[in-house]
Amino acid sequence: MVLPLVGIAQPAYYVKNPLYVFELDFEQNLKIVRMCVTHSKRVLFPSTSEVYGLCPDKELSEDESLLVLGPVSKMRWIYSCSKQMMDRVLAAYGQERGLRFTCFRPFNWTGPRLDEPADAERGTARVITQFLFNLVHGRPLHLVGGGRQRRSFTSIHDGIDALLAIVRNERNNLDGEILNIGNPSNQASVKELAHLVRDAAAAYPKYAPLAAAAVITDIPEDDYYGKGYADVQHRVPSIAKAERLLDWRPKRSLEDIVRDTVHYYLGDGGAWA
Ligand code: UDP
């Protein structure tokens, strides 16, 4: 079994280094996929919730939702398009050459150990880590485009549980399947999230003054990401298929996720404490 995990999944790169994103996420991974075909290896491939792009469905469904991308002039879609192409190539190898594959689509997996301080220093960390890093350094928490966009946040622990169930494939029912791995119950706007992070940090006496002083402020999308970006406003997975095929369901609430993440960085002996 092969699980290729190399890839760029940070929006700043989609706009600034689009060719690198295409070369690594598509071209280099294609070599691995072709080796899996040659050597008859099962492959578990990380797709992404980004492939749904601007699809208006209330819940995004693996086998029904349209994959809707913006114009070429918005460079950010090169990531979504590269990942979508790989999903299609995998499906084609499955159909024509019998490749055993399963794609999984993470929906804003978040939690401890996902981002390095260097990511946050560059402004490319996932949103919770980025907010926390800014707070700890006395910088404003930026709400891109006003922070009304909503996401469904998934605990990294729930994500890994799902991934291990895919690896085990106990019921041998996953070949050729694409699975959303997310938590539709954990929806919040980015603005609500900023307040949750600030409140969670305030519970640590050492950081309470910084939390009290933290400024939460709007920033235009172009100023934060550059011209080629366009944020997705709404992204909720249907997880009916993952629940059915994996006998899995996510357990951790958004409050658990924020608490876990803040504790990992700021708790006693924490990564930034
Ligand atoms: N975001 C924000 N401020 C930040 C970092 C991110 O408002 O400092 C927004 C970002 O524009 C997106 C959401 O938070 O709408 C989630 O961003 P993240 O990079 O964690 O994941 P994405 O959903 O973009 O894959």
Side-chain angles (χ1 to χ4, degrees), residues 171-183:
R171 287 189 268 160
N172 195 22
N173 59 354
L174 301 178
D175 288 347
E177 300 293 354
I178 299 179
L179 299 172
N180 290 340
I181 307 297
N183 189 334

Side-chain angles (χ1 to χ4, degrees), residues 11 50 108 125-127 130-131 142-144 149 151 190 224-225 229 231-232 235:
E50 273 275 316
N108 290 83
R126 287 168 184 78
V127 60
Q130 192 65 51
F131 283 160
H142 290 119
L143 305 177
V144 173
Q149 65 276 44
R151 293 290 187 275
V190 168
Y224 193 83
Y225 288 116
Y229 206 71
D231 218 336
V232 171
R235 187 195 278 161

Side-chain angles (χ1 to χ4, degrees), residues 94 110 158 214 235 238:
T110 188
D158 286 327
R235 187 195 278 161
S238 161

Side-chain angles (χ1 to χ4, degrees), residues 24-90:
L24 188 60
D25 290 20
F26 185 76
E27 288 191 309
Q28 297 303 323
N29 275 292
L30 182 59
K31 294 178 189 169
I32 299 172
V33 168
R34 286 189 164 142
M35 283 190 260
C36 292
V37 175
T38 303
H39 298 285
S40 301
K41 295 290 177 200
R42 177 179 178 230
V43 58
L44 311 188
F45 201 84
S47 178
T48 169
S49 53
E50 273 275 316
V51 294
Y52 296 106
L54 301 167
C55 178
D57 292 357
K58 282 207 169 62
E59 287 206 343
L60 299 161
S61 142
E62 301 90 336
D63 300 314
E64 278 151 43
S65 289
L66 302 182
L67 310 181
V68 183
L69 305 193
V72 171
S73 56
K74 291 284 183 190
M75 200 51 90
R76 58 97 76 228
W77 295 113
I78 199 162
Y79 171 71
S80 176
C81 190
S82 301
K83 298 293 282 186
Q84 182 190 148
M85 189 65 194
M86 186 61 89
D87 291 358
R88 294 186 188 281
V89 167
L90 285 160

